[in-house]
């Protein structure tokens, strides 16, 4: 299982766009979100809004068996929900996941899970 973290700077003055995007995702689009994640192979996804050096960033944590495949499937998707998600993410951050930019994922330094802990 891959654990992936993305840090995506929010465009200046767009933090409320990011918040509203996530509120809608959690409310009226939750079922569509679940179907999309299942289809592309994401088993867990968590989003945060963080202050980083005086600016805002969206931080996403994901678990998947194959992040490159999941991102490829999502990027190519024309599913109504996926198109909506990519449009709102771009409005908040300027990142176009229809054509993902080259990116280096943050380096995983430590990971703990109670499931793997031995007493």
């Amino acid at each position: 299982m891959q654990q992936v973290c993305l840090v995506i700077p929010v465009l200046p003055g767009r933090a409320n766009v990011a918040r509203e995007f996530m509120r809608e995702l959690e409310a009226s689009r939750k079922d569509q979100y679940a179907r999309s994640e299942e289809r592309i192979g994401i088993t867990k996804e968590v989003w945060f809004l963080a202050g980083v050096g005086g600016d805002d960033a969206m931080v996403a944590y994901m678990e998947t068996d194959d992040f490159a495949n999941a991102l490829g499937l999502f990027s190519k998707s024309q599913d109504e929900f996926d198109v909506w998600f990519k449009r709102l993410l771009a409005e908040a951050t300027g990142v176009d996941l229809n054509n993902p930019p080259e990116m280096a994922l943050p380096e995983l330094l430590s990971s703990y899970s109670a499931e793997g802990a031995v007493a």
Side-chain angles (χ1 to χ4, degrees), residues 14-59:
R14 298 290 180 106
N16 282 336
V17 173
R19 284 184 185 95
E20 187 55 38
F21 168 33
M22 290 293 130
R23 275 195 279 277
E24 186 174 345
L25 182 68
E26 286 295 309
S28 63
R29 296 197 178 250
K30 196 72 167 182
D31 289 342
Q32 293 171 307
Y33 186 28
R35 283 191 296 276
S36 174
E37 298 292 83
E38 185 176 326
R39 182 174 31 79
I40 66 173
I42 301 288
T43 56
K44 183 173 190 170
E45 187 168 301
V46 182
W47 286 87
F48 302 87
L49 183 64
V52 180
D55 295 321
D56 293 309
M58 294 183 78
V59 179

Side-chain angles (χ1 to χ4, degrees), residues 51-108:
V52 180
D55 295 321
D56 293 309
M58 294 183 78
V59 179
Y61 168 81
M62 297 170 207
E63 293 179 358
T64 180
D65 287 331
D66 185 346
F67 179 71
N69 184 61
L71 181 59
L73 289 170
F74 187 70
S75 296
K76 293 174 187 161
S77 176
Q78 291 302 304
D79 175 83
E80 181 271 329
F81 170 82
D82 295 349
V83 169
W84 170 85
F85 188 102
K86 291 183 278 188
R87 180 176 54 80
L88 269 287
L89 185 69
E91 285 180 18
T93 67
V95 173
D96 178 7
L97 286 184
N98 289 302
N99 187 20
E102 290 293 321
M103 67 179 103
L105 297 176
E107 180 182 1
L108 177 63

